[in-house]
Amino acid sequence: MSDESQLEARLEAQDEFEPPASFVEQANVTDEAIRERFEEEWPECWEAAAELLEWREGYDQVLDDSNPPFYEWFTGGELNASENCLDRHLADRGDEPAIEWVGEPPSEDNRTYTYAELHREVNEFAAALRDLGVEEDDVVTMYMPMIPELPVAMLACARIGAPHSVVFAGFSADALATRMESADSEYLVTANGYYRRGDPLDHFEKTRDGLDSVGHEVSDVVVVDRLGDDGFDHDRRENEHDYDALVADHEGAEVEPVARDAEDMLFLMYTSGTTGQPKGVKHTTGGYLSWVTWTSHAVLDVKPEDTYFCSADIGWITGHSYIVYGPLALGTTTMMYEGTPDYPDNDRLWEIVEDYDATQLYTAPTAIRAFMKWGEQYPEAHDLSSLRLLGTVGEPINPRAWKWYYKHVGNEECPVVDTWWQTETGGMMVTTLPGVDTMKPGSAGPPLPGVDARVVDAAGEEVNAGDAGYLTVQNPWPGMLRTLYQNDERFVQEYWAEYSDTDSDDSGDWVYFPEDGAKLDEDGYITVLGRVDDVLNVSGHRLGTMEIESAIVDVEGVAEAAVVGGDHEVKGEAVYAYVITEDGYDGGDDLRDRIVASVEDAIGPIARPESVVFTPELPKTRSGKIMRRLLEDIANGDDLGDTSTLRNPGVVDDIQAKVGGD
Ligand code: WT7
């Protein structure tokens, strides 16, 4: 019997849920009028976010919108992110856990870092980085798994005013090299490996491959020894330093946190766009930190005494905002888990929640769909009553998965927040406030207070309730990206050109376009439908079709390739590659293997095609554009409708036959 059919009829029929009274009673935000209040007081309303931080120098102006879309927030203010996440908690919370880290091997000696301990190690590593020559504004790259040294390195950089650029450890060597080059980054912090489903994995070899293809000189590399006796043998080069040795050399060192301008860069985060070149999203110290702190407080309901668990990887924006910066700025205990949720068994997450009495769980729909598939017996075998709030992020969640989460994980006692946002927005934008709003499974909810998100048609006019269109944000917000690294022009082009009068100096004429489709309902709730550009969302991971296509056409024997997303029960979307071979090459297993290997080398295993379909032609319009919609429909086995506008309608049957027989 599938879980689906076990969802009670009552739940199945219900499409609105009120926040549980027990939650509302203690919620951080309960003011029903908060949206009206913020609208009236905008932009000064965002002082409420800035007030959650400690400033070295007060700001003069909340928002400087004189040069849109290059907005500035809390101008004139000065602060340090590491001081906000550590030093200011020492007096009250010095002996309380800041990070609870759980390694993947169940036999692991898990580690607890109190605020005092984390503060100490961050200071020591900051001193070490300085000694290596890292100066304010130098970009330090991190290519690290989910180990505590990652947040330590991030906070150490923040302390000395060196922006970090974290590259997801699952990305390939090539991806690392591209990102280091793009950021002119001369320093790297990495690890010798980590555990995946029980096995030690050699991360250092991949790091070396990446380093060897960086075009400029990398001055120093710091390597964390995660694997100990399970480590792989590698000779160390002169510029490769052992993390533990560096920290030991700087034992007891204290580094005064550098006062950073509110608008100074806190970090860069690369993300995929429509072109093959990843975008370096720039986030700032004052606006970003205020945003993630306020949303952690208002949406995740984080309180200092909580044990808050977000299962994302810090290599993505979710981990930056809602494992590291938001939770630590609020002085709470944040959890980190190294491994996968199905090791050693499918109840690993529930075991962690039970063992640590986790109070919030923030995860992705793809994980929830996997939990559903595995069955409710796994959460039911554990006491999850410590949970007070559940959250999801990364992709649309179908109502059935929402209800399963609500019932089998939350026991119908925890509000579920479905939070829409992006790498670029820094933090949450559209979501219910858990202590205020009615929840509607499948719909993220209304925009946050102070956020003017609207669904518009192609002409930029607001759609009527019940209609679909494009999601836009019509006013700036503190957490917004400030630009794409060293590419202001692409920043304007990618996010603003679609719906703004780009000649105007009036902020009111500028509209941010996140490239998502959305539907509006009669209560102003927004259901995000997914990307309308050539970006895929595979298991909540963002991948550019162009990046995958260029990896495929690099393969000898491939003439042309088109990549689209097909529906996938657990991953949400899966990569479908349609490939035309060069004359003299067979579309056989050998070529397929080389294609898969090339994609893994260029991006990483997350981009591995689910299916590679060889075809003599791709469906094209008369003007020669590949009809991606059609390829998606074929992948999904959907009805194709009218194909008569194609230049080569005959090809469709051929491809369909191949996919069907795959
Ligand atoms: C894209 C952004 C937000 C951090 C993780 C992903 C999709 C995100 C939702 C949601 C529907 C969502 C959008 C967005 N997305 N959250 N709650 N409902 N779709 O960050 O890698 O920058 O991806 O993820 O399509 O544009 P990202």
Side-chain angles (χ1 to χ4, degrees), residues 19-21 23-34 37 297-298 301 303 433-437:
F23 180 88
V24 177
E25 258 167 39
Q26 58 80 61
N28 284 343
V29 173
T30 51
D31 175 8
E32 306 258 345
I34 188 169
R37 192 156 57 78
H297 167 82
D301 202 51
K303 301 173 169 61
L433 287 169
V436 174
D437 297 314

Side-chain angles (χ1 to χ4, degrees), residues 277-314:
Q277 194 61 29
K279 308 189 271 198
V281 170
K282 175 183 159 179
H283 281 296
T284 57
T285 312
Y288 170 84
L289 197 62
S290 305
W291 194 251
V292 299
T293 307
W294 190 81
T295 48
S296 295
H297 167 82
V299 181
L300 297 170
D301 202 51
V302 168
K303 301 173 169 61
E305 55 281 10
D306 283 340
T307 300
Y308 159 86
F309 184 14
C310 166
S311 72
D313 192 293
I314 295 175

Side-chain angles (χ1 to χ4, degrees), residues 120-179:
R120 182 188 170 100
E121 193 160 322
V122 165
N123 272 273
E124 292 167 346
F125 192 55
L129 286 174
R130 264 207 184 139
D131 271 358
L132 290 176
V134 178
E135 290 177 7
E136 198 171 342
D137 294 320
D138 285 347
V139 176
V140 177
T141 303
M142 279 140 221
Y143 189 40
M144 298 168 79
M146 285 290 283
I147 52 177
E149 289 82 357
L150 174 51
V152 168
M154 292 163 74
L155 293 168
C157 282
R159 199 164 189 88
I160 60 175
H164 52 74
S165 167
V166 180
V167 178
F168 174 55
F171 272 141
S172 67
D174 278 2
L176 170 66
T178 316
R179 285 157 179 74

Side-chain angles (χ1 to χ4, degrees), residues 317-318 393-396 418-423 516 528 531 537 542:
I317 192 72
T318 306
V393 60
E395 39 171 338
D418 171 0
T419 59
W420 175 85
W421 57 291
Q422 314 178 290
T423 304
D516 272 312
V528 180
R531 305 285 303 195
N537 192 327
R542 185 162 151 186

Side-chain angles (χ1 to χ4, degrees), residues 329-656:
L330 290 172
T332 196
T333 301
T334 188
M335 303 233 22
M336 276 181 78
Y337 170 53
E338 178 185 35
T340 61
D342 55 354
Y343 185 83
D345 204 349
N346 293 342
D347 65 344
R348 188 67 194 272
L349 246 43
W350 316 129
E351 187 181 279
I352 297 172
V353 168
E354 180 172 16
D355 285 354
Y356 287 85
D357 288 326
T359 40
Q360 289 93 340
L361 179 67
Y362 191 33
T363 190
T366 184
I368 298 167
R369 290 191 298 265
F371 300 146
M372 251 175 102
K373 220 175 129 178
W374 298 336
E376 68 206 45
Q377 67 275 20
Y378 292 102
E380 262 156 31
H382 294 273
D383 178 4
L384 306 181
S385 61
S386 57
L387 288 170
R388 183 173 88 240
L389 173 135
L390 304 176
T392 104
V393 60
E395 39 171 338
I397 181 164
N398 44 313
R400 212 174 267 288
W402 192 103
K403 289 176 186 177
W404 190 93
Y405 193 35
Y406 180 71
K407 180 174 168 60
H408 296 295
V409 181
N411 194 29
E412 303 186 47
E413 283 163 354
C414 303
V416 175
V417 286
D418 171 0
T419 59
W420 175 85
W421 57 291
Q422 314 178 290
T423 304
E424 291 87 342
T425 67
M428 301 162 181
M429 299 292 283
V430 177
T431 169
T432 51
L433 287 169
V436 174
D437 297 314
T438 303
M439 299 169 273
K440 301 189 190 188
S443 174
L448 277 177
V451 172
D452 187 5
R454 298 185 203 175
V455 183
V456 302
D457 62 19
E461 298 299 323
E462 269 188 84
V463 302
N464 295 319
D467 288 346
Y470 303 97
L471 186 55
T472 58
V473 186
Q474 313 244 351
N475 63 357
W477 65 100
M480 67 198 303
L481 81 165
R482 296 303 192 267
T483 191
L484 292 176
Y485 191 56
Q486 292 178 338
N487 205 341
D488 289 348
E489 202 181 316
R490 188 172 175 197
F491 167 66
V492 175
Q493 206 51 41
E494 294 252 2
Y495 303 106
W496 304 91
E498 192 81 22
Y499 290 109
S500 311
D501 172 0
T502 52
D503 293 327
S504 172
D505 292 334
D506 181 350
S507 176
D509 292 330
W510 288 79
V511 174
Y512 174 83
F513 182 40
E515 304 263 8
D516 272 312
K519 214 177 140 181
L520 185 71
D521 82 2
E522 61 287 353
D523 299 319
Y525 276 48
I526 294 171
T527 295
V528 180
L529 301 168
R531 305 285 303 195
V532 295
D533 56 0
D534 294 329
V535 167
L536 306 184
N537 192 327
V538 178
S539 300
H541 298 148
R542 185 162 151 186
L543 303 169
T545 50
M546 276 278 285
E547 290 171 72
I548 307 177
E549 284 167 7
S550 63
I552 296 178
V553 296
D554 271 350
V555 175
E556 193 193 315
V558 173
E560 201 182 344
V563 163
V564 300
D567 296 342
H568 189 280
E569 194 194 341
V570 173
K571 297 177 183 175
E573 272 187 313
V575 176
Y576 275 72
Y578 296 88
V579 174
I580 303 181
T581 55
E582 277 176 347
D583 283 348
Y585 284 88
D586 267 343
D589 286 345
D590 169 59
L591 189 55
R592 191 183 309 257
D593 291 348
R594 287 191 291 122
I595 287 170
V596 171
S598 178
V599 172
E600 292 193 355
D601 285 348
I603 303 161
I606 48 168
R608 179 190 298 142
E610 181 84 8
S611 171
V612 178
V613 180
F614 294 105
T615 167
E617 272 182 88
L618 292 167
K620 291 191 175 161
T621 61
R622 285 178 212 281
S623 60
K625 250 189 99 168
I626 297 173
M627 287 271 283
R628 288 168 189 283
R629 283 277 157 232
L630 209 62
L631 292 172
E632 281 171 23
D633 289 343
I634 295 174
N636 296 334
D638 288 346
D639 202 15
L640 301 186
D642 184 12
T643 57
S644 63
T645 55
L646 286 180
R647 191 167 65 185
N648 50 353
V651 69
V652 171
D653 289 342
D654 287 358
I655 304 181
Q656 262 181 322

